[in-house]
Each structure stands twice: as structure tokens, then as C-alpha cells.
Amino acid sequence: PGSWSPGLASPLLFSWVTADALYGQDWHFRRMIEEAELGYAAAVPKSQQIKSLAGCWRIDQLIGDASDDAWERLPCSNGAKGSRVYDWAAAQLPAVPFLGGGEPSHHRWVIARRSIARPDEIAYYLAHAHAGTTVDELVRVVGSSWAIESCFQSAKNECGLDEYEVRRYVGWYRHITLAMLTHAFLAAATAQAGRENRAAETDHPLPHSAWQKSDASWAACRPRSRTTPSTSHPSCTTVRLQRIAGVVHDD
């Protein structure tokens, strides 16, 4: 579900913002999203400082103190080889109490993603989420950044998204808009072609298999040559693959 905040110039409906460490480490950027009452899950470097009323720590030190029970194995997104699964640790930071004594509507989180095959590879995130948000939801938002990065990379490779030489915003905006429109058209055309190919495959019955099963063996029949007819052999040469001992017999 989307939400709109009067503090945003765009009327588009959205509830979350994701970003890489270049933006995530900028507290001005994070503060702007918080003031708009939106959620975010942004990557940060391991040296990111975490400040609270209890003190100040580096995020890697804070996560390093987490017990083994704090880690949970969860899928976050789908990749070319299936679901991406990592070990995750998430902790809600203490909220700063309001002067009026009311409960905050959002909470800040620290999140860590650890590779299963290479446990030394850990990525760190800061998040700002509506009260009641679950860890599963935070993991899903973090994982959504891969799909966004994949789309941008595809648009660069196929549509020249990053191939522009402009000095003004209007020229840049026109180029980006045309490249993204082209990418959307290609994606829709590819999806449509895939559906048509699948439909065509189901409309035609599969050819009759040359392999025939008889009792405990399979037989492959090869038609004899039209140019060299033979009367001493049957119409097909049978190769029986006996299941017993896997012995091949030529008849």
C-alpha cells in the first residue's frame, strides 16, 4: 500500500525508499525521508556510527556483539538461480521519547545481512519503519533493491540509459524518460512473446517418441535408409537397453 506525504513534491504513491551506502551514510538524506514519514532501508558502511541515549558505537561492533540466536535465515528476493537466502540480524533502536509523552509512529532499526557460504561477508543497513513492522518486511524491502539495480543495469546495456552528454536538467530528463520508456516497451514485448511461445507449444502435440518400452527394456527404432533397402533386417534396428546389469545388446 502506498502513502503520500505533503512534504513530498511527487504525487506518486509509495511507502519505502531503498538506497546504497553512498546515500545511506548521509544523515541529511535519511532525515529528509523520516520527516516525510516514509520508511527506508539504506545500506551503510561498516564504520557507520550508531548514536543513542545509551552511547555511540560502530555498526559492525554493535552487530558483532549479537548472539548466535539473533541471526535468522530468511529469503529476501528471487535471483537467476532461485531465491536469495541469507542470515539476518535486526535490532530496533531505542526511541527518543516525545515531549508530549506520546508513542512514536516510526522506529529506527539496524540490520545486518550475512552470507551463508562466506560468514565473514556482512552487509549493514539502517532502517526507518512504521511501528509494528516485522523483520520479514524489512528483509523484503532490503531485497527489493536487487530488482531495481537489475532494471537499471539492463536499461544501461540495452537502451543507453547512461549514454548522454547534457548540461541541463531538461535534456537529461528527456533522455532518461525516453530510455526508460524504451526499456518498458522491450520488457512488455519480451513478456508477450514468451506467452505466445508457451501457447504455441501447447497447441501442437509432441512428436511420437522413437523409444518404445517392452517389459524390462527400452527399444529405439531407427528407420532404415530409403536408398539402401534391406530384406535381411526388419524395418527398424532395435537397440535394447537391458535394465539387468545395464548390458546393451544389438539385434
Side-chain angles (χ1 to χ4, degrees):
S3 63
W4 179 81
S5 171
L8 298 176
S10 174
L12 297 176
L13 300 178
F14 60 94
S15 299
W16 291 94
V17 176
T18 61
D20 58 22
L22 178 65
Y23 291 94
Q25 63 184 340
D26 186 351
W27 73 269
H28 294 93
F29 173 77
R30 301 196 308 270
R31 184 62 178 170
M32 178 186 67
I33 301 175
E34 292 178 6
E35 291 177 348
E37 297 184 351
L38 293 173
Y40 66 75
V44 294
K46 64 180 182 181
S47 59
Q48 178 68 41
Q49 297 291 319
I50 306 298
K51 300 179 180 179
S52 71
L53 296 178
C56 180
W57 303 269
R58 281 173 47 126
I59 192 170
D60 60 342
Q61 295 172 342
L62 193 64
I63 296 297
D65 292 336
S67 63
D68 293 339
D69 296 339
W71 294 91
E72 183 178 6
R73 188 158 297 179
L74 296 169
C76 60
S77 64
N78 293 322
K81 299 181 180 179
S83 181
R84 293 186 177 96
V85 181
Y86 294 90
D87 288 334
W88 299 83
Q92 183 176 299
L93 296 175
V96 178
F98 288 103
L99 295 178
E103 291 294 328
S105 61
H106 290 71
H107 294 282
R108 295 190 181 100
W109 292 74
V110 292
I111 307 171
R113 187 198 74 215
R114 185 176 66 187
S115 170
I116 298 175
R118 296 175 291 275
D120 292 338
E121 295 184 4
I122 302 178
Y124 303 95
Y125 302 86
L126 290 178
H128 179 254
H130 196 277
T133 301
T134 63
V135 175
D136 288 356
E137 177 71 3
L138 292 172
V139 168
R140 184 192 66 81
V141 174
V142 170
S144 67
S145 62
W146 274 299
I148 298 171
E149 293 172 2
S150 177
C151 287
F152 272 111
Q153 190 61 48
S154 176
K156 291 177 181 179
N157 295 339
E158 307 297 335
C159 309
L161 180 69
D162 58 342
E163 298 177 7
Y164 55 84
E165 295 181 4
V166 296
R167 295 180 179 273
R168 297 181 182 275
Y169 172 78
V170 174
W172 173 87
Y173 186 84
R174 289 172 177 172
H175 176 88
I176 295 298
T177 302
L178 181 59
M180 294 180 67
L181 178 61
T182 304
H183 186 259
F185 170 79
L186 292 175
T190 301
Q192 178 64 27
R195 289 192 293 268
E196 292 176 354
N197 290 338
R198 288 192 294 271
E201 291 174 357
T202 57
D203 291 340
H204 299 284
L206 294 175
H208 183 69
S209 175
W211 290 85
Q212 300 177 2
K213 185 177 182 181
S214 176
D215 297 332
S217 64
W218 286 90
C221 295
R222 296 192 299 270
R224 68 188 179 198
S225 172
R226 296 180 180 178
T227 58
T228 56
S230 173
T231 58
S232 60
H233 293 281
S235 60
C236 66
T237 301
T238 302
V239 181
R240 285 190 172 86
L241 306 179
Q242 298 292 349
R243 289 182 178 179
I244 301 176
V247 179
V248 178
H249 299 281
D250 291 340
D251 292 343

